[in-house]
Amino acid sequence: MPVRDDVEEFAALLRQLKDRTDRSYGSLARRLNMNTSTLHRYCAGEAVPLDFAPVERLAAFCGATPQERLDLHERWLHAVAARQRPRAAEDSEPAAASGPVEAEPQIPQAAGAEPLTGAAPVARPWYRRRRTLVASAVVTALLATLGTLAALPDDRPAGGSAARGTGSSATTAAG
């Protein structure tokens, strides 16, 4: 069964459940403790929830029978599986219809490695780069502090501690 059909069947069943309540998406979403736009995307077939909990809450609130809940769960499983299927078959059909397609350049690879295409390398997510950024900021701050401390003048006079005296001024010692 094509991806679109599985997702559309699931979304149609969600819309049927939503229509039973005579509530708006906003009102229903508040009662289900979810975002209004998220609920609308589920009912429109634009998204499929990753877990069944929000769908189960919707079914319970709308008064779905146990058989309807089983059917809903089955359709949800099919919709999730359809969204996770590779879309290579769908993507190749429009390309074949548009005419000849150039082959992607191959990048040299190590022995035993999977073939690589000319795609750009995937950047690391921000939370993985943050550790490197924080470490480099700490090192920079330490180097700046050490450089500043090294540039400060030395407070000791040339004669050492004997030239300083005992701490009283010369006028009080003479008087």
Side-chain angles (χ1 to χ4, degrees):
M1 188 177 289
V3 173
R4 208 64 223 151
D5 290 344
D6 290 334
V7 175
E8 281 301 319
E9 285 180 12
F10 174 70
L13 189 53
L14 287 180
R15 283 191 301 272
Q16 287 175 0
L17 289 173
K18 184 232 172 250
D19 290 342
R20 287 185 190 176
T21 64
D22 292 329
R23 290 180 176 259
S24 67
Y25 283 107
S27 172
L28 188 56
R30 278 191 297 278
R31 298 280 286 182
L32 297 174
N33 196 23
M34 64 188 325
N35 194 321
T36 304
S37 62
T38 302
L39 179 61
H40 186 265
R41 285 194 308 269
Y42 293 163
C43 291
E46 296 172 6
V48 177
L50 295 177
D51 58 337
F52 189 67
V55 179
E56 178 63 27
R57 287 194 308 265
L58 175 67
F61 184 77
C62 295
T65 65
Q67 184 58 39
E68 288 175 323
R69 289 183 185 195
L70 284 174
D71 189 33
L72 185 63
H73 187 261
E74 182 180 342
R75 290 184 189 189
W76 172 76
L77 287 173
H78 288 296
V80 168
R83 288 290 171 133
Q84 292 175 349
R85 281 185 215 135
R87 298 184 179 186
E90 295 176 26
D91 293 340
S92 64
E93 292 172 8
S98 64
V101 178
E102 292 183 23
E104 291 185 18
Q106 295 290 320
I107 299 174
Q109 60 187 4
E114 294 183 25
L116 299 173
T117 61
V122 177
R124 292 188 312 181
W126 65 269
Y127 53 86
R128 304 245 175 161
R129 293 182 295 217
R130 184 173 53 182
R131 182 177 295 159
T132 305
L133 180 63
V134 169
S136 62
V138 168
V139 168
T140 302
L142 285 174
L143 288 175
T145 303
L146 290 175
T148 304
L149 290 176
L152 288 177
D154 196 8
D155 287 344
R156 286 181 267 151
S161 63
R164 243 190 273 187
T166 59
S168 61
S169 66
T171 56
T172 55

